[in-house]
Structure formats: C-alpha cells, structure tokens
Amino acid sequence: MNKSRQLLLAALAALTVGCAPSDDAIERRVDELLSRMTLQEKIGQMHQVDGSRDFERVCEAVRRGEIGSVMNVTREQIAELQRIAVEESRLGIPLIIGRDVIHGYKTVFPIPLGQAATFDPEVVREGARVAAYEASSDGIRWTFAPMMDVSRDPRWGRIAESFGEDTFLSAVMAAAAVEGFQGDDLTAPASLAACAKHYAGYGASESGRDYNSTFIPERHLRNVYLPPFEAACKAGIQTFMTSFNDNDGVPSSGSRFLLTEVLRDEWGFDGFVVSDYGAIREMIAHRFCSDLEDAAEKAVNAGLDMDMESYAYAQYLEQLVSEGKVDRRQIDRLVGNILRVKLRLGLFEHPVPDMERNVFFEQASLDAAYRAAVESAVLLKNDGVLPLVGARTVAVIGPMADRAYDQMGCWAPDGDRDHCVTPYGAFALRSDVRTLYSPAMAHPREKSRTGFADALAKVRAADAVVLFVGEEASLTGEAHSLAEIRLQGVQEELLEAVAAAGKPLVTVIMAGRPLTIGRVMELSDAVIYAFHPGTMGGRALSDLIMGDAVPSGKLPVTFPKVTGQIPIYYSQHSTGRPVRGDEMLLDDIPTEAEFFPTGFTSYWLDAGIEPLLPFGYGLSYTEFEYSAPRLSAESMAADGAITVSVDVSNRGSRDATETVQLYVQDKVASITLPVKELKDFRRVDIPAGETRTVSFELPASKLAFWNIDDRFTVEAGEFLVWAAGDSRSGEPAAFAVK
Ligand code: BGC
C-alpha cells in the first residue's frame, strides 16, 4: 500500500468512530416517537422536497413539521433547516438531507461505468468513502447512490451511471459502494446513508429510450436485475429508490410485489424507500392512476415510504386515512422505517454538520481519484506504439483533450473544473516530451473542418499523435438517450485526416457509453477507452500513454459493431439456431436468390454475430498466458464447493495487473440459461516473467437461479467453467453438481 493510500485510510478511519445505538434502543425510540406524533406529523416525515426552490416556504413547512427530508440545499441552508427542525418544530425531529453524490463530490472519480472497468471493488469503496468524507462536511448525510441497474443498452444515457451489463459485477460493485458510503458506523460524521437505485429494471428501458417501459418477466428480473439490489441489502444499505419505469404494466412506485413482497418479506429490508423525483405523480401519466389521490393511495399501500417531489402524500394521505383507504398501521410502519434510519445516522444527536471542516481536494483524495482513473482506462488495441517511450514531440489533438467539464462526467454537480487536470494540461506539464496542441474542433459536435489545418500542421511536426475524441458529459446520463451511438460531429473525419498523415497514432476515447468505434480501431495504432475519467483523468492518461503506468481496465459492457446489434451482451441465452461459422454475409448472397440458404442461423447479414469487443476485454503492456483451469474435484454436492485454479504467466517485460475472470455455463437446466455467466474475478499483480496461480472457491450456491418451479435453486447437472482474461477466451473444464 502506498503512503497516500495509508494516509487516506487513516484519515477516514478517524472519521468512522461513532457511537451506534443498539437496535433495541432504536426501536424503542421509534415507538416512543410514533406514540407522540399526530397523523399530520407522520405524513410530514414521508414528504421530501427539493429545497433549491422557494427556500423560505420550505423553512415554514419544516417549522410546522410538514417535511421529513430536503434535497439539493447548501451547507448554510442545511444548518438553518436543521436548526428550525430541531428547535422550532413541535417534536424536534431532524431532517435527513439528501443529494446526488454519485461519483465523487468535489473530487470527481471516473463515472460508475469507468469504475466498473477497474474490476476493483476497492476503487469503488474508496471512491465512495472519499465522496462521503467530502459531502458530509457540507452537512449531507444521504446520497442517492449507488445506481445498480444492469444496463445492456448503450443508447440509454444512464448506462454511464451503471456498473455495466453484468449482474455479478454490478452486485459486487454495488456492495462495495455501500460499504464506502456508509462506512463501519453510520453515526460517524463522515458516513452517508446510501440508496439502492433504481428499483427495479430501469436499465431495460425498451429501445434504450429513457423513462420507457420495461417488459421483464419475473424469472429474468430475479436472475438478472434484482441480485445487485439484494447484495446492497445484505451489505446493510439504508434506503432504496423506486425507478421511473413500469415493468410488465406496473410502475415501480405502485408495485407491492417489489416494495413489500420482495424487499420486505423476502429480503427483510428495514430501512426506507423513497420514490424517484415525481415518480408517484408520474403514475398518472403512465395511466396507472386516475389522479394524484389515486397515486398516493397506490404508492403508500404498495409500501413506498417517502414521496420525492410529487406532493401526493402531503396532499392526500390524511384524507385517504380518514376515508379508510389507507390503514393507520401502514402509515406507522412506513414512518417507523424513516425514523429508524434517522436514528441510525445519529441525526438526533448531531443534526447540524461540523461547519468548520473543509476537506475538499485533499492530496490523499486526489491520489485515490488518480488511481481510479488509471485503473478504469481500457487498452483496446496496441500495435506496439504504446507506451510512447522515445517520442520527443507529441501532438495532442482533438476536441476532448482539454475539456475539464466534460471529463468530469454526467453526475458531478459539485465538481470543480478548476481542479481538473485535462490530458492536454498533464502533457503540457511533462518535462520528457514537447507537446504541440490543437483541439481541431471547437467542441465534439462541431460540424466544421476549419480547425483541421492547424491540427494537421501539429501532427506533421510531431513524432507521435494522441487524438482525444468522445462525447460531452451533457450527452450522457439521465434523459440523454441516443438512437445512434457514434462519434458526433466531424470527429471521424478528423480521425481519418490525422491517420492519413502516417504518424504513430494513439486514439483515446472519453465517453459515457460504448460508442461504435470500428473506424477508430481500424485507423489507430493504439486505442484507449477512458470513459469520463474525472478530476485526475488527464494525469492518469498521460502517465498511461507515456508508460509511467500500465493499463489494467477491462470492459464492463460489450461494444457493438453497429447500433443495430443492440442489445448485445455476453451472457445471452443459447438460441435453437446457433451460428456454425460458415454463414453468408450480405455481399455473399447472389442477386435474385430464391429463398437463398444463408445458413438459417441466428445472426445479422450485415453485422455477423460477434460484437466489436466482448465483455471483460482489455489489454496490457504485456502478454498474459493462461493455463487450462484445474479443479479440486470433478463434482460437488449442492451445498458443497470446488476450487478452480489457473496459472497466469506474464510473458512480457513489464510488471502488470491482470483481471482473471471466472465464468460458468450450466449445460442443461430446467430453463434455458446464459451461455456463460461471470461468477468471480480477481485482479492479480504479476511481475514480468513470473507466473501466479489464481484459485477461486466456487460454492455451488453461486450456481443457484430462479428456476422453472419459481424457486431459487441449485440444480444438479453438468457445468463448464472458464478462467480467462475476457468473456470470449479460454478453454473450459467440466464438473458436476450431484
Ligand atoms: C433521477 C435520480 C436522482 C433524482 C434526484 C431523478 O431524476 O432519476 O437518479 O437521484 O432525480 O436528483
């Protein structure tokens, strides 16, 4: 562990010393408070407002006990609101103050999709810890993160906020984020309550269009979309947020199945659930509710504890109780959930933040953001030009080379561009190379080529070129779906012009989603996918390019060749007509061919079957060689385990880190299952020329799935297992569950 990491951990450990009250004591206080509250005061606890508007009215309502939570307020406003809540409201119940602290607060970490590319839960944990440390110093004690929507559609802008396409990776990263935000002790001043969102299925929005409906059958929901939420629950997460989508006809905010049957009855969750912003009201637009009163009734009876910005509970719950449409005991249950979390956070003892603390951009936090950015970059191609050792003059070209705002990504409302190191900024500071810079385009959507001449002059004067292309942060995230996921503006034309100059060309893509980068892969000598890498992205990239750091990221999502292949993901099911490999493509088919036998298998005539790049893929500055996997036994019992071992050798001359991935196929089951599913992974440091044996314990419980009988079951049968560097490579070994 390096020194700054030790310092960071020591600083954070000091802040995690709280004094957590016992469960019994908390339950007694919940009951005691409920016994003293009027119905109106209870409904007040269930009402959350956005305080960025009409602050005076919010203060008045807090004084009257009509509000339980406020979001989007400044540290001074928080102090004032908590003072009013505690000193001037009748019962003195503190507010819980929320904010979207997603991938950093002031110090911005790579977007969650980039963090997922690290395959390093420690990066996610540390990023969340730093975010909590900074945000709590502004009085925020609740973050609307992590998002854990399994996302298989890069048209959907919110894929940027996700941990990608895989259920297991998302579950591991979600749990790590919960641990980071919440720490060991929720009462500690630097702990935030985390929020599992968006519950559930939102990532499957039809056609990648945000807020669109989903159609996920219960079995698929339970096997693919719910496990990250259950993992967050097991990690002790305190809150959940409902999603905007209606799944199979039922909006999440009105789903008793999701909010009560699964969350409470099956998983035993005892924190609270907040709706997404205005989501209760939106059940009217879904045509699931006739009016706001109907929406309030359906939401509260489904088990939704807190209303974010629909004003449905505030306006109608009292009436619904008096009409007997909502039971008072249901209100007590939901309010009890909210009070429990407030008590667990120690808000009654410390409602007002320590206003003297100023912990932004500490060196240890910047170092953590740097490490995250280094680990999140994925090397997609290298014809030997990288690292650029020996280049004396480097041309830094392109519209993403110096865009501090955009490199921070889509959920960085508190980030500060002045603290951002851009790639150009980092190159310009290097003493080992001379940097020539030209953005070539005013911004990444620019349609004019007038800047190309300057860029090409710089290219011709350099030994090597680093071209920074991608997409602006504001084209990604919520409400930013695209029907075509390509490089915008004349970026591809710029790539072609630069490539034609014939200099060694490294292309770096900074984006919030996979883009269709076939031309980039063809025309560049090396390609790095950097996502939106955050505050320290520029330094991380310049160090990777110049060889001061070695790439280790792996793709957390499949990259399609063309948009029309979407959805395309590695864990697809086997069709009845799998490709054989001799299929005809578009140009092979004679004209006027009558019912021509193209193969009658499952593929696209114009795109084949393969994606551009598979899940789990990522290169290094060395070569890794894998042995065949070895098993500790040929079979195991349904409650047993086997060990899968593999030797991984570093055949190059650089010390490097490889992420070894364990995939399993259940050969025949009571339902069709994915061709492969990730069950484990580990990052391993392997010095040049050395071999490491990596052993995974694979308990049979990891093979369980929601089966034909609607039970979570480990079914006996035969399995294949791979231990490999991505989802497409490696040879399987076989074992059985008896
Ligand atoms: C988003 C949530 C977010 C909430 C509060 C909504 O529009 O869907 O992810 O937490 O706003 O800002």
Side-chain angles (χ1 to χ4, degrees):
M1 196 184 315
N2 69 25
K3 188 132 183 269
S4 66
R5 196 164 191 146
Q6 278 171 351
L7 282 173
L8 175 69
L9 293 178
L12 296 177
L15 285 158
T16 55
V17 183
C19 185
S22 72
D23 285 355
D24 284 353
I26 285 181
E27 293 313 312
R28 275 198 302 278
R29 281 188 78 184
V30 168
D31 290 342
E32 187 265 333
L33 277 166
L34 284 172
S35 72
R36 290 199 287 136
M37 292 167 84
T38 63
L39 179 60
Q40 292 83 345
E41 282 165 334
K42 290 175 185 171
I43 294 168
Q45 289 301 308
M46 303 167 79
H47 180 41
Q48 185 193 50
V49 299
D50 186 335
S52 61
R53 296 185 305 263
D54 217 347
F55 185 67
E56 283 313 311
R57 272 182 61 182
V58 173
C59 290
E60 282 308 310
V62 169
R63 193 169 282 121
R64 292 193 299 269
E66 291 171 1
I67 290 180
S69 174
V70 181
M71 60 192 282
N72 297 341
V73 273
T74 64
R75 63 179 353 221
E76 291 73 24
Q77 290 174 326
I78 292 170
E80 176 63 358
L81 285 168
Q82 292 290 43
R83 190 193 61 71
I84 294 172
V86 172
E87 293 174 12
E88 299 181 14
S89 76
R90 191 180 76 90
L91 289 174
I93 300 175
L95 300 160
I96 178 166
I97 306 288
R99 183 148 180 89
D100 290 285
V101 182
I102 310 287
H103 50 105
Y105 186 61
K106 297 287 180 189
T107 304
V108 178
F109 283 67
I111 55 170
L113 191 61
Q115 292 189 39
T118 67
F119 278 69
D120 187 349
E122 194 46 47
V123 158
V124 173
R125 197 175 291 115
E126 200 168 65
R129 203 74 205 112
V130 170
Y133 177 57
E134 292 189 347
S136 60
S137 82
D138 262 352
I140 296 159
R141 295 298 310 282
W142 178 24
T143 174
F144 306 131
M147 167 169 145
M148 53 199 72
D149 298 317
V150 169
S151 303
R152 297 178 167 178
D153 195 327
R155 292 171 298 185
W156 192 51
R158 302 202 82 167
I159 196 171
E161 301 172 52
S162 81
F163 295 123
E165 76 181 40
D166 186 65
T167 302
F168 180 75
L169 179 61
S170 298
V172 170
M173 295 314 208
V178 175
E179 289 161 13
F181 283 128
Q182 296 193 168
D184 299 334
D185 175 2
L186 269 177
T187 63
S191 293
L192 303 186
C195 182
K197 75 184 190 186
H198 305 85
Y199 185 63
Y202 187 29
S205 294
E206 218 179 33
S207 70
R209 177 160 55 81
D210 205 5
Y211 313 121
N212 204 1
S213 302
T214 61
F215 297 92
I216 314 170
E218 182 180 340
R219 194 174 291 133
H220 197 56
L221 190 74
R222 288 185 180 271
N223 284 333
V224 175
Y225 291 91
L226 294 190
F229 290 94
E230 191 176 5
C233 199
K234 285 192 178 136
I237 199 160
Q238 292 299 306
T239 73
F240 270 61
M241 183 188 288
T242 59
S243 56
F244 286 126
N245 57 299
D246 60 312
N247 184 44
D248 199 15
V250 184
S252 300
S253 296
S255 171
R256 198 176 156 77
F257 166 72
L258 284 177
L259 299 177
T260 299
E261 290 169 28
V262 174
L263 188 58
R264 305 280 177 190
D265 302 346
E266 289 182 27
W267 298 348
F269 177 66
D270 67 358
F272 73 85
V273 185
V274 65
S275 76
D276 204 343
Y277 205 111
I280 297 180
R281 182 182 294 270
E282 287 172 20
M283 292 200 290
I284 305 169
H286 277 293
R287 293 189 295 108
F288 183 75
C289 297
S290 52
D291 53 27
L292 199 57
E293 182 178 349
D294 188 25
E297 181 185 337
K298 288 206 168 101
V300 87
N301 284 336
L304 179 42
D305 306 281
M306 188 183 278
D307 170 357
M308 181 195 285
E309 274 289 320
S310 285
Y311 294 79
Y313 287 3
Q315 283 182 57
Y316 293 107
L317 277 192
E318 203 178 333
Q319 188 179 321
L320 286 165
V321 170
S322 71
E323 288 169 3
K325 291 179 177 165
V326 170
D327 193 327
R328 279 176 189 271
R329 282 169 304 184
Q330 176 72 344
I331 300 283
D332 281 1
R333 254 194 303 274
L334 306 195
V335 175
N337 295 333
I338 295 167
L339 294 174
R340 184 175 301 120
V341 173
K342 289 186 173 184
L343 286 161
R344 283 180 178 160
L345 281 168
L347 288 171
F348 286 77
E349 290 73 29
H350 301 288
V352 179
D354 172 0
M355 303 304 272
E356 299 311 313
R357 258 170 56 205
N358 179 359
V359 298
F360 306 140
F361 304 111
E362 287 181 357
Q363 191 55 48
S365 305
L366 294 172
D367 290 348
Y370 168 83
R371 274 191 304 277
V374 166
E375 289 190 22
S376 67
V378 188
L379 180 64
L380 299 180
K381 176 180 179 182
N382 189 8
D383 281 351
V385 292
L386 280 178
L388 281 186
V389 279
R392 299 167 75 129
T393 305
V394 174
V396 170
I397 306 293
M400 288 299 288
D402 195 28
R403 297 188 81 79
Y405 177 79
D406 289 315
Q407 86 181 40
M408 287 195 294
C410 59
W411 258 128
D414 299 293
D416 180 351
R417 67 175 83 195
D418 293 339
H419 279 80
C420 247
V421 185
T422 66
Y424 168 55
F427 267 97
L429 285 176
R430 295 190 73 99
S431 54
D432 53 347
V433 283
R434 194 162 75 94
T435 301
L436 306 174
Y437 169 61
S438 173
M441 297 162 62
H443 57 78
R445 274 174 290 152
E446 167 82 82
K447 294 199 172 57
S448 154
R449 303 172 187 211
T450 47
F452 283 21
D454 175 61
L456 291 173
K458 305 268 166 55
V459 166
R460 282 190 285 269
D463 302 321
V465 189
V466 190
L467 175 65
F468 290 89
V469 293
E471 60 182 354
E472 294 143 90
S474 48
L475 296 192
T476 74
E478 185 176 352
H480 292 99
S481 295
L482 288 173
E484 193 73 69
I485 53 162
R486 58 180 182 79
L487 286 169
Q488 302 292 327
V490 288
Q491 293 186 86
E492 221 166 274
E493 288 85 336
L494 175 64
L495 165 78
E496 297 194 352
V498 170
K503 293 287 167 78
L505 171 59
V506 180
T507 302
V508 178
I509 300 139
M510 296 160 98
R513 54 161 66 78
L515 297 171
T516 45
I517 51 162
R519 283 298 275 165
V520 177
M521 293 291 282
E522 276 167 39
L523 295 178
S524 314
D525 300 301
V527 179
I528 295 176
Y529 217 84
F531 301 95
H532 285 138
T535 303
M536 298 301 287
R539 184 157 311 151
L541 285 165
S542 91
D543 284 356
L544 285 163
I545 290 163
M546 298 309 295
D548 301 329
V550 180
S552 60
K554 299 275 190 175
L555 294 179
V557 57
T558 302
F559 274 48
K561 287 184 204 155
V562 291
T563 308
Q565 285 184 311
I566 300 167
I568 183 167
Y569 49 92
Y570 84 93
S571 59
Q572 63 189 46
H573 286 217
S574 300
T575 80
R577 295 278 181 99
V579 287
R580 291 185 309 265
D582 60 351
E583 281 77 6
M584 293 195 153
L585 292 176
L586 205 60
D587 294 337
D588 305 328
I589 302 172
T591 54
E592 299 191 13
E594 198 177 310
F595 201 49
F596 195 78
T598 56
F600 288 113
T601 58
S602 180
Y603 71 103
W604 295 273
L605 289 179
D606 54 351
I609 183 65
E610 295 297 333
L612 184 70
L613 296 160
F615 174 86
Y617 179 82
L619 305 171
S620 174
Y621 290 158
T622 187
E623 297 271 323
F624 294 109
E625 197 178 286
Y626 281 72
S627 73
R630 296 184 298 278
L631 306 181
S632 61
E634 284 173 5
S635 66
M636 63 174 144
D639 58 357
I642 53 167
T643 303
V644 184
S645 304
V646 65
D647 300 330
V648 186
S649 305
N650 179 342
R651 293 283 178 231
S653 55
R654 298 282 309 237
D655 298 350
T657 304
E658 169 71 335
T659 296
V660 184
Q661 300 156 43
L662 190 80
Y663 295 92
V664 169
Q665 181 192 79
D666 187 336
K667 287 179 78 175
V668 180
S670 63
I671 58 167
T672 65
L673 286 172
V675 291
K676 263 184 193 180
E677 285 175 281
L678 185 70
K679 295 294 177 188
D680 212 341
F681 57 86
R682 193 166 314 143
R683 285 173 62 90
V684 199
D685 298 331
I686 311 180
E690 294 196 15
T691 297
R692 291 283 178 271
T693 300
V694 183
S695 293
F696 296 98
E697 196 193 57
L698 178 63
S701 58
K702 278 197 169 172
L703 309 173
F705 60 98
W706 195 255
N707 77 355
I708 193 77
D709 300 322
D710 293 335
R711 275 203 226 105
F712 206 62
T713 309
V714 181
E715 290 186 356
E718 292 179 4
F719 294 79
L720 296 177
V721 60
W722 292 256
D726 62 61
S727 62
R728 296 292 287 167
S729 56
E731 289 303 318
F735 68 91
V737 172
K738 298 228 160 113

PDB file of all heavy atoms in Angstrom, residues 77-88:
ATOM      1  N   GLN A  77     -27.813  26.523   4.194  1.00  0.00           N
ATOM      2  CA  GLN A  77     -29.249  26.212   4.245  1.00  0.00           C
ATOM      3  C   GLN A  77     -29.503  24.971   5.104  1.00  0.00           C
ATOM      4  O   GLN A  77     -30.485  24.909   5.843  1.00  0.00           O
ATOM      5  CB  GLN A  77     -29.794  25.994   2.833  1.00  0.00           C
ATOM      6  CG  GLN A  77     -29.846  27.279   2.018  1.00  0.00           C
ATOM      7  CD  GLN A  77     -30.259  27.012   0.573  1.00  0.00           C
ATOM      8  OE1 GLN A  77     -29.924  25.973  -0.002  1.00  0.00           O
ATOM      9  NE2 GLN A  77     -30.985  27.948  -0.024  1.00  0.00           N
ATOM     10  N   ILE A  78     -28.604  24.009   5.024  1.00  0.00           N
ATOM     11  CA  ILE A  78     -28.765  22.798   5.840  1.00  0.00           C
ATOM     12  C   ILE A  78     -28.736  23.169   7.322  1.00  0.00           C
ATOM     13  O   ILE A  78     -29.577  22.733   8.114  1.00  0.00           O
ATOM     14  CB  ILE A  78     -27.656  21.768   5.517  1.00  0.00           C
ATOM     15  CG1 ILE A  78     -27.841  21.228   4.099  1.00  0.00           C
ATOM     16  CG2 ILE A  78     -27.671  20.620   6.535  1.00  0.00           C
ATOM     17  CD1 ILE A  78     -26.690  20.390   3.585  1.00  0.00           C
ATOM     18  N   ALA A  79     -27.772  23.998   7.680  1.00  0.00           N
ATOM     19  CA  ALA A  79     -27.663  24.396   9.092  1.00  0.00           C
ATOM     20  C   ALA A  79     -28.948  25.085   9.544  1.00  0.00           C
ATOM     21  O   ALA A  79     -29.469  24.816  10.632  1.00  0.00           O
ATOM     22  CB  ALA A  79     -26.461  25.317   9.274  1.00  0.00           C
ATOM     23  N   GLU A  80     -29.475  25.950   8.708  1.00  0.00           N
ATOM     24  CA  GLU A  80     -30.690  26.691   9.058  1.00  0.00           C
ATOM     25  C   GLU A  80     -31.893  25.735   9.142  1.00  0.00           C
ATOM     26  O   GLU A  80     -32.679  25.792  10.098  1.00  0.00           O
ATOM     27  CB  GLU A  80     -30.914  27.781   7.996  1.00  0.00           C
ATOM     28  CG  GLU A  80     -32.173  28.610   8.130  1.00  0.00           C
ATOM     29  CD  GLU A  80     -32.248  29.441   9.409  1.00  0.00           C
ATOM     30  OE1 GLU A  80     -31.324  29.355  10.239  1.00  0.00           O
ATOM     31  OE2 GLU A  80     -33.264  30.153   9.597  1.00  0.00           O
ATOM     32  N   LEU A  81     -32.003  24.864   8.169  1.00  0.00           N
ATOM     33  CA  LEU A  81     -33.139  23.925   8.164  1.00  0.00           C
ATOM     34  C   LEU A  81     -33.108  22.999   9.379  1.00  0.00           C
ATOM     35  O   LEU A  81     -34.138  22.763  10.022  1.00  0.00           O
ATOM     36  CB  LEU A  81     -33.109  23.072   6.889  1.00  0.00           C
ATOM     37  CG  LEU A  81     -33.534  23.761   5.601  1.00  0.00           C
ATOM     38  CD1 LEU A  81     -33.187  22.893   4.388  1.00  0.00           C
ATOM     39  CD2 LEU A  81     -35.037  24.052   5.612  1.00  0.00           C
ATOM     40  N   GLN A  82     -31.934  22.484   9.694  1.00  0.00           N
ATOM     41  CA  GLN A  82     -31.854  21.578  10.850  1.00  0.00           C
ATOM     42  C   GLN A  82     -32.125  22.328  12.148  1.00  0.00           C
ATOM     43  O   GLN A  82     -32.751  21.785  13.060  1.00  0.00           O
ATOM     44  CB  GLN A  82     -30.468  20.889  10.912  1.00  0.00           C
ATOM     45  CG  GLN A  82     -30.198  19.907   9.779  1.00  0.00           C
ATOM     46  CD  GLN A  82     -31.023  18.624   9.855  1.00  0.00           C
ATOM     47  OE1 GLN A  82     -32.223  18.674  10.150  1.00  0.00           O
ATOM     48  NE2 GLN A  82     -30.414  17.492   9.551  1.00  0.00           N
ATOM     49  N   ARG A  83     -31.675  23.563  12.221  1.00  0.00           N
ATOM     50  CA  ARG A  83     -31.956  24.354  13.427  1.00  0.00           C
ATOM     51  C   ARG A  83     -33.469  24.513  13.592  1.00  0.00           C
ATOM     52  O   ARG A  83     -34.019  24.294  14.682  1.00  0.00           O
ATOM     53  CB  ARG A  83     -31.280  25.730  13.322  1.00  0.00           C
ATOM     54  CG  ARG A  83     -31.309  26.537  14.603  1.00  0.00           C
ATOM     55  CD  ARG A  83     -30.916  27.977  14.378  1.00  0.00           C
ATOM     56  NE  ARG A  83     -31.811  28.694  13.459  1.00  0.00           N
ATOM     57  CZ  ARG A  83     -33.052  29.052  13.730  1.00  0.00           C
ATOM     58  NH1 ARG A  83     -33.578  28.782  14.910  1.00  0.00           N
ATOM     59  NH2 ARG A  83     -33.791  29.680  12.828  1.00  0.00           N
ATOM     60  N   ILE A  84     -34.145  24.831  12.496  1.00  0.00           N
ATOM     61  CA  ILE A  84     -35.600  25.005  12.569  1.00  0.00           C
ATOM     62  C   ILE A  84     -36.261  23.678  12.949  1.00  0.00           C
ATOM     63  O   ILE A  84     -37.115  23.622  13.840  1.00  0.00           O
ATOM     64  CB  ILE A  84     -36.153  25.530  11.225  1.00  0.00           C
ATOM     65  CG1 ILE A  84     -35.622  26.937  10.959  1.00  0.00           C
ATOM     66  CG2 ILE A  84     -37.685  25.530  11.223  1.00  0.00           C
ATOM     67  CD1 ILE A  84     -35.942  27.474   9.574  1.00  0.00           C
ATOM     68  N   ALA A  85     -35.840  22.594  12.284  1.00  0.00           N
ATOM     69  CA  ALA A  85     -36.469  21.289  12.549  1.00  0.00           C
ATOM     70  C   ALA A  85     -36.301  20.895  14.013  1.00  0.00           C
ATOM     71  O   ALA A  85     -37.252  20.457  14.670  1.00  0.00           O
ATOM     72  CB  ALA A  85     -35.864  20.220  11.642  1.00  0.00           C
ATOM     73  N   VAL A  86     -35.117  21.059  14.537  1.00  0.00           N
ATOM     74  CA  VAL A  86     -34.825  20.576  15.888  1.00  0.00           C
ATOM     75  C   VAL A  86     -35.339  21.539  16.961  1.00  0.00           C
ATOM     76  O   VAL A  86     -35.890  21.119  17.975  1.00  0.00           O
ATOM     77  CB  VAL A  86     -33.305  20.343  16.035  1.00  0.00           C
ATOM     78  CG1 VAL A  86     -32.936  20.040  17.483  1.00  0.00           C
ATOM     79  CG2 VAL A  86     -32.877  19.195  15.127  1.00  0.00           C
ATOM     80  N   GLU A  87     -35.180  22.823  16.713  1.00  0.00           N
ATOM     81  CA  GLU A  87     -35.533  23.778  17.779  1.00  0.00           C
ATOM     82  C   GLU A  87     -36.941  24.331  17.660  1.00  0.00           C
ATOM     83  O   GLU A  87     -37.540  24.730  18.645  1.00  0.00           O
ATOM     84  CB  GLU A  87     -34.545  24.962  17.775  1.00  0.00           C
ATOM     85  CG  GLU A  87     -33.148  24.537  18.169  1.00  0.00           C
ATOM     86  CD  GLU A  87     -32.130  25.663  18.021  1.00  0.00           C
ATOM     87  OE1 GLU A  87     -32.541  26.828  17.834  1.00  0.00           O
ATOM     88  OE2 GLU A  87     -30.925  25.354  18.056  1.00  0.00           O
ATOM     89  N   GLU A  88     -37.490  24.375  16.459  1.00  0.00           N
ATOM     90  CA  GLU A  88     -38.771  25.067  16.310  1.00  0.00           C
ATOM     91  C   GLU A  88     -39.946  24.178  15.907  1.00  0.00           C
ATOM     92  O   GLU A  88     -41.090  24.610  16.004  1.00  0.00           O
ATOM     93  CB  GLU A  88     -38.610  26.222  15.300  1.00  0.00           C
ATOM     94  CG  GLU A  88     -37.586  27.250  15.770  1.00  0.00           C
ATOM     95  CD  GLU A  88     -37.430  28.411  14.795  1.00  0.00           C
ATOM     96  OE1 GLU A  88     -38.278  28.570  13.901  1.00  0.00           O
ATOM     97  OE2 GLU A  88     -36.439  29.146  14.925  1.00  0.00           O
TER      98      GLU A  88
END
